[in-house]
Amino acid sequence: QVRLVESGGGLVHSGGSLRLSCVASGMITTINVMAWYRQAPGKERELIGFITSNDGTVYADSVKGRAIISRDNTKMTVYLQMNSLKPEDTGVYYCKLPQTHSRDEIWGQGTQVTVSS
């Protein structure tokens, strides 16, 4: 079984920064692709971006230029650095491992980010 745990959320003023972490544990030896999502109150969960096995990154237009996804394989951790935060960035942030041939997709429990104006 694979488990994902996010951390690093909190309350931040507009223009501030946060670094979220997603730690993978259990029956997993390497993180190939990891995606970050967020869900704002009353809205559907949206894809923020993802990192590939060769450290390529793709970002949604809403966070492009403000978000950086990176990884530390030695810690089985993927990070989401969010800069120049805006109130509309408020929401619960989730990391997700995609489905593979041997398991379903895995979601973390989420971490709350609140940006005050």
Side-chain angles (χ1 to χ4, degrees), residues 2 5-6 13 17 22-23 31 35-36 42 67 70-71 80 103-104 111-112:
V2 177
V5 178
E6 301 97 333
H13 291 298
S17 298
C22 175
V23 180
I31 299 173
W36 282 95
S70 60
R71 72 164 86 229
L80 171 63
R103 58 164 170 75
D104 293 330
T111 185
Q112 174 71 45

Side-chain angles (χ1 to χ4, degrees), residues 1-7 21-26 28 31 33-35 76-78 94-98 103 105-110:
Q1 191 171 359
V2 177
R3 185 182 181 207
L4 299 178
V5 178
E6 301 97 333
S7 63
S21 301
C22 175
V23 180
S25 62
I28 184 169
I31 299 173
V33 178
M34 180 78 83
M76 294 295 284
T77 301
V78 174
Y94 301 88
C95 56
K96 188 195 84 170
L97 285 171
R103 58 164 170 75
E105 63 183 20
I106 305 292
W107 290 88
Q109 85 290 348

Side-chain angles (χ1 to χ4, degrees), residues 5-70:
V5 178
E6 301 97 333
S7 63
L11 174 64
V12 63
H13 291 298
S14 182
S17 298
L18 281 176
R19 189 176 80 156
L20 308 182
S21 301
C22 175
V23 180
S25 62
M27 299 289 288
I28 184 169
T29 57
T30 186
I31 299 173
N32 289 318
V33 178
M34 180 78 83
W36 282 95
Y37 288 74
R38 70 181 175 198
Q39 187 164 21
K43 295 188 177 181
E44 293 187 354
R45 196 170 296 188
E46 65 169 335
L47 175 66
I48 295 174
F50 60 89
I51 187 167
T52 67
S53 56
N54 61 353
D55 288 340
T57 51
V58 176
Y59 302 99
D61 287 344
S62 59
V63 301
K64 198 171 293 183
R66 301 188 297 120
I68 301 172
I69 299 174
S70 60

Side-chain angles (χ1 to χ4, degrees), residues 10-16 85-90 113-117:
L11 174 64
V12 63
H13 291 298
S14 182
L85 283 161
K86 307 173 183 180
E88 52 263 44
D89 292 318
T90 293
V113 172
T114 303
V115 184
S116 63
S117 57

